[in-house]
Amino acid sequence: MVGVAYRDSSERLARDLDWNLLRTFVVLAESSSVTEAAERLRLKQPTVSNALKRLEDRLGRRLIDRSPGRFKLTEAGQLLHREAIDIHGSILRLNTLMREVADEIQGHVRVVLASHVVCPLFDDALTAFHTAHPRATLSLNVMASREAVAAVLTQRASLSLCLVRERSPKLEYRRLYREFFGLFCGPTHPLYGVQGLTMPDLAGQSSVSFVTDQMTDALRPVTLMRAKADLDERVVATSANLEEVRRMIVAGLGVGPLPLHVMRRDIEDGLLWRLPPYDDPPAIDVYVVWNPKSRMNRAEQALLQMLLARIEETPIGERTYF
């Protein structure tokens, strides 16, 4: 009898629960206040507060601790947030899946990637994908690696090409390639063009870098390299985009890290000057990341399979760029 009552209760909840309440809750859970959530949803604050109360009443659990000066998910709220994200991702993809019931592979693939992903193997996969499936569409969106992983986790992106600091058990990872970072300065910097520099020559110099250049983030080896160079602790400017970090270095804002293989042409053109250390530069691995629970459309499946096949058949030595 207990099992029957539980099943009846679960079916009643599934029948009566309004998806819009869950959608509102997802935004609430990712905001710092009801006011912020209302602004993001473009609703009035009382409407959002009432929606939260209705959801809590329906579930019989307090979901957010809203005591004075406090706005934090309860244990039940954290659990619901994780489940609601998966539900949200599935609903977003329903329309796409329905449109793709056809013999010819079509559909859209959204790839999110770190800005310094320069990889011939990936480019080759894109060429092969477009040749085989010309009706499929692609979008490539650049963002910080942490945001890219979050987009895949929440099923807002098909797959990601990015740096990885900590692995989520909910995602799959495959190393795409390895690159090496060096320190550079621009033409107006006092160290530009100076031969025979050593690490002590960099002491106290101002620096610019990536937002992920932190001891607790994906570019930790680069952070250690900057620390060994004894650069000024204050980073003058940061960006998640390689082109902007490069721009700041060329403009003379400070010394900064960049992937060696990407900057080869700029060095030849005299826009950048490489600085120590010249030996044993830090190695950074770039991964393909995807969500195995995501209901991929046929185009997404095709691109991922093409990319993984190329990784499997190409030794890591050929996927290591200096």
Side-chain angles (χ1 to χ4, degrees):
M1 293 298 293
V2 174
V4 173
Y6 175 79
R7 184 173 64 252
D8 290 345
S9 175
S10 297
E11 290 177 352
R12 186 165 56 252
L13 177 62
R15 182 180 65 249
D16 297 342
L17 188 59
D18 183 352
W19 157 245
N20 287 319
L21 294 181
L22 286 180
R23 176 176 174 273
T24 299
F25 177 72
V26 169
V27 177
L28 273 165
E30 296 173 355
S31 302
S32 60
S33 66
V34 173
T35 300
E36 180 185 332
E39 291 175 352
R40 292 174 59 184
L41 290 165
R42 297 183 180 179
L43 297 173
K44 294 182 179 180
Q45 183 175 333
T47 302
V48 176
S49 296
N50 289 336
L52 176 59
K53 184 178 185 305
R54 286 167 55 202
L55 183 59
E56 290 180 328
D57 290 345
R58 168 57 62 187
L59 296 175
R61 296 287 189 276
R62 187 172 177 82
L63 301 175
I64 299 180
D65 182 355
R66 304 185 295 283
S67 54
R70 188 176 178 83
F71 188 84
K72 185 177 181 181
L73 291 178
T74 64
E75 184 176 352
Q78 293 174 5
L79 176 62
L80 179 62
H81 182 225
R82 290 195 295 268
E83 296 299 321
I85 284 176
D86 289 340
I87 295 170
H88 188 205
S90 297
I91 290 176
L92 288 175
R93 304 175 70 78
L94 279 177
N95 185 50
T96 300
L97 290 171
M98 292 300 100
R99 285 191 290 106
E100 290 170 357
V101 182
D103 293 335
E104 186 176 10
I105 289 183
Q106 45 189 306
H108 187 72
V109 185
R110 181 172 187 247
V111 181
V112 291
L113 62 165
S115 66
H116 55 81
V117 172
V118 177
C119 176
L121 187 145
F122 176 60
D123 296 345
D124 176 63
L126 289 180
T127 300
F129 173 78
H130 178 65
T131 301
H133 312 297
R135 291 184 61 84
T137 58
L138 282 159
S139 63
L140 305 181
N141 302 97
V142 174
M143 59 183 65
S145 291
R146 185 180 299 177
E147 297 173 0
V149 171
V152 173
L153 184 62
T154 57
Q155 301 182 39
R156 290 180 285 113
S158 312
L159 56 97
S160 171
L161 277 56
C162 61
L163 282 61
V164 174
R165 174 59 178 162
E166 295 181 356
R167 299 194 180 199
S168 167
K170 294 184 177 182
L171 299 176
E172 294 288 341
Y173 302 81
R174 194 69 52 83
R175 182 168 61 178
L176 177 60
Y177 70 94
R178 170 168 288 180
E179 63 184 358
F180 294 86
F181 273 69
L183 292 175
F184 295 88
C185 67
T188 63
H189 195 278
L191 295 182
Y192 182 89
V194 179
Q195 302 285 347
L197 291 171
T198 61
M199 290 288 273
D201 294 318
L202 275 62
Q205 295 289 335
S206 63
S207 64
V208 300
S209 197
F210 294 87
V211 293
T212 48
D213 180 0
Q214 302 177 39
M215 289 295 288
T216 57
D217 217 321
L219 282 180
R220 185 173 185 271
V222 173
T223 307
L224 292 172
M225 175 179 66
R226 289 197 307 105
K228 289 180 180 178
D230 198 23
L231 298 172
D232 191 322
E233 292 183 2
R234 186 177 69 91
V235 179
V236 173
T238 61
S239 175
N241 192 299
L242 177 141
E243 287 300 323
E244 300 312 317
V245 173
R246 171 189 170 279
R247 182 199 305 275
M248 293 184 290
I249 296 172
V250 172
L253 273 65
V255 172
L258 291 168
L260 298 176
H261 74 291
V262 182
M263 296 299 112
R264 188 173 297 116
R265 179 63 181 271
D266 280 343
I267 295 173
E268 294 174 357
D269 291 345
L271 293 175
L272 290 171
W273 180 260
R274 188 178 173 191
L275 302 169
Y278 304 116
D279 299 322
D280 299 321
I284 299 294
D285 290 331
V286 177
Y287 290 84
V288 179
V289 184
W290 72 97
N291 189 335
K293 288 189 176 181
S294 177
R295 285 177 170 262
M296 287 191 172
N297 62 46
R298 295 167 67 199
E300 291 170 319
Q301 294 172 11
L303 178 59
L304 179 60
Q305 290 168 4
M306 285 182 176
L307 189 53
L308 295 181
R310 281 164 173 72
I311 292 173
E312 289 298 323
E313 67 192 23
T314 308
I316 184 58
E318 296 178 23
R319 294 182 279 122
T320 298
Y321 308 127
F322 295 90

